């Protein structure tokens, strides 16, 4: 299947407090594998990143069979990948200043250090409404450019904070919802704080952070050398961050910058609203059996930080909802040995909106990709 790749700059009027009202351009990469035929047969997918990993490093990893977006394009889909502001190749307002990095992480930024520095922008960068605004702009852009009325969503981790509420508010725009390791606080806040929220705009990942994100909880969970592969992809998407960090062999060690954001409106009450999720918007929830990022262990006493994937399945009130627990997998499944089975599961879902012939229920997927009802 021939694939056409296009990088789009999607115009948007920012609602991020740091550059509110300004014209910005959101980065979107497209892999179009649509076969020849009637335009009405075009199937469009939009993939959104989570909290700390930009979209290309997550879905378009240039390493053997790991490119999830290209796997979908090869199956005949028109696949778009979006970086929200504060991530990857979209604008990162106020994130170029190392003084705006999380004070507890400033030792990783650039030497010499003389203790935490005063932030030039002492606020959290983005929030639930600005993320949903950007998602809305890109969905409208895709529908207009490709002459479709609906888009299928795939979101990893904290993408759920934008994609879930957007689907509830705009069900006629969303074909289906596939959430991998979704961050879901069952009793999280429903209402926004006073904005902008005091704090800082920038977090950073180090290479050690990636090592910690790829632990071995079972044999062959990920192939040797994946830390280097992932770290190289992150550095490719951060021209400023890769010049930061303590010197190693005369070169900066590098960091990967990501936005600090505040969320609300994604909890038991909103996920079950109107029976939309699992109703007009079919939902598939997937998580690894060793995912301790999307499943807070032990549970947190702070409702906003207590995340539980099975609780999202329970909160969805429509009849078309499924939960798949993947064996020998963690939160970083797109970079793990189960990635091919993950790709195949998503292709089957996009085509049938079913798992094992069912539209509801809890299932397990083994290391060979076999699916069976959960005990």
């Amino acid at each position: 299947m021939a694939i056409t790749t296009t990088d789009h700059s999607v115009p948007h009027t920012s609602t991020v407090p740091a550059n509110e009202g300004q014209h910005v351009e959101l980065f979107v990469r497209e892999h179009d594998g649509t076969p020849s035929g009637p335009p009405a047969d075009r199937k469009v997918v939009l993939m959104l990143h989570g909290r700390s990993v930009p979209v290309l490093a997550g879905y378009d990893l240039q390493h053997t069979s790991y490119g999830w977006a290209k796997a979908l394009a090869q199956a005949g889909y028109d696949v778009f990948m979006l970086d929200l502001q504060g991530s990857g190749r979209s604008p990162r307002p106020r994130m170029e200043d190392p003084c705006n990095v999380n004070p507890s992480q400033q030792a990783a930024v650039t030497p010499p250090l003389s203790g935490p520095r005063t932030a030039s922008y002492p606020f959290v960068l983005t929030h639930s409404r600005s993320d949903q605004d950007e998602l809305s702009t890109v969905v409208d852009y895709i529908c207009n450019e490709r002459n479709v009325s609906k888009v299928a969503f795939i979101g990893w981790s904290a993408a759920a904070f934008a994609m879930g509420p957007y689907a509830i508010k705009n069900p006629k725009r969303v074909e289906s919802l596939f959430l991998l390791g979704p961050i879901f606080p069952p009793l999280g806040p429903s209402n926004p704080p006073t904005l902008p929220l005091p704090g800082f705009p920038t977090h950073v990942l180090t290479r050690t952070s990636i090592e910690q994100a790829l632990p071995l909880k079972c044999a062959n969970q990920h192939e040797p050398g994946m830390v280097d592969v992932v770290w190289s992809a992150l550095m490719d998407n951060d021209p400023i961050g890769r010049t930061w960090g303590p010197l190693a062999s005369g070169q900066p060690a590098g960091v990967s910058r990501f936005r600090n954001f505040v969320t609300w409106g994604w909890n038991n009450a909103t996920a079950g609203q109107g029976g939309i999720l699992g109703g007009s918007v079919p939902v598939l929830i997937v998580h690894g059996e060793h995912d301790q990022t999307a499943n807070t262990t032990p549970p947190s006493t702070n409702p906003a930080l207590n995340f539980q994937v099975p609780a999202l399945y329970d909160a969805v009130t429509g009849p078309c909802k499924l939960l798949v627990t993947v064996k020998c997998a963690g939160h970083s499944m797109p970079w793990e040995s189960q990635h091919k089975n993950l790709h195949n599961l998503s292709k089957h879902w996009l085509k049938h909106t079913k798992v094992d012939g069912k539209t509801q229920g809890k299932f397990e997927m083994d290391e060979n990709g076999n699916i069976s009802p959960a005990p």
Side-chain angles (χ1 to χ4, degrees), residues 110-172:
T110 178
L113 294 172
S114 57
R117 312 172 195 188
T118 301
S120 61
Y121 183 77
F123 300 101
V124 174
L125 186 65
T126 67
H127 52 71
S128 286
R129 188 168 61 247
S130 65
D131 286 355
Q132 291 172 42
D133 289 344
E134 292 172 19
L135 179 60
S136 179
T137 289
V138 170
V139 170
D140 289 348
Y141 175 87
I142 291 170
C143 289
N144 291 332
E145 288 287 311
R146 297 295 176 256
N147 194 27
V148 296
S149 60
K150 287 189 172 185
V151 176
F153 280 178
I154 293 179
W156 180 12
S157 192
F161 282 107
M163 285 185 152
Y166 176 90
I168 293 166
K169 296 170 186 174
N170 304 275
K172 292 183 179 180

Side-chain angles (χ1 to χ4, degrees), residues 51 93-95 97-106 117-126 196-204 258-262:
R51 175 174 177 258
R94 309 307 295 258
M95 292 177 67
D97 185 350
C99 295
N100 289 332
V101 171
N102 180 345
S104 69
Q105 298 174 333
Q106 286 189 2
R117 312 172 195 188
T118 301
S120 61
Y121 183 77
F123 300 101
V124 174
L125 186 65
T126 67
L197 186 70
F200 53 86
T202 312
H203 289 288
V204 296
F258 64 97
R259 66 208 173 101
N260 190 15
F261 67 101
V262 59

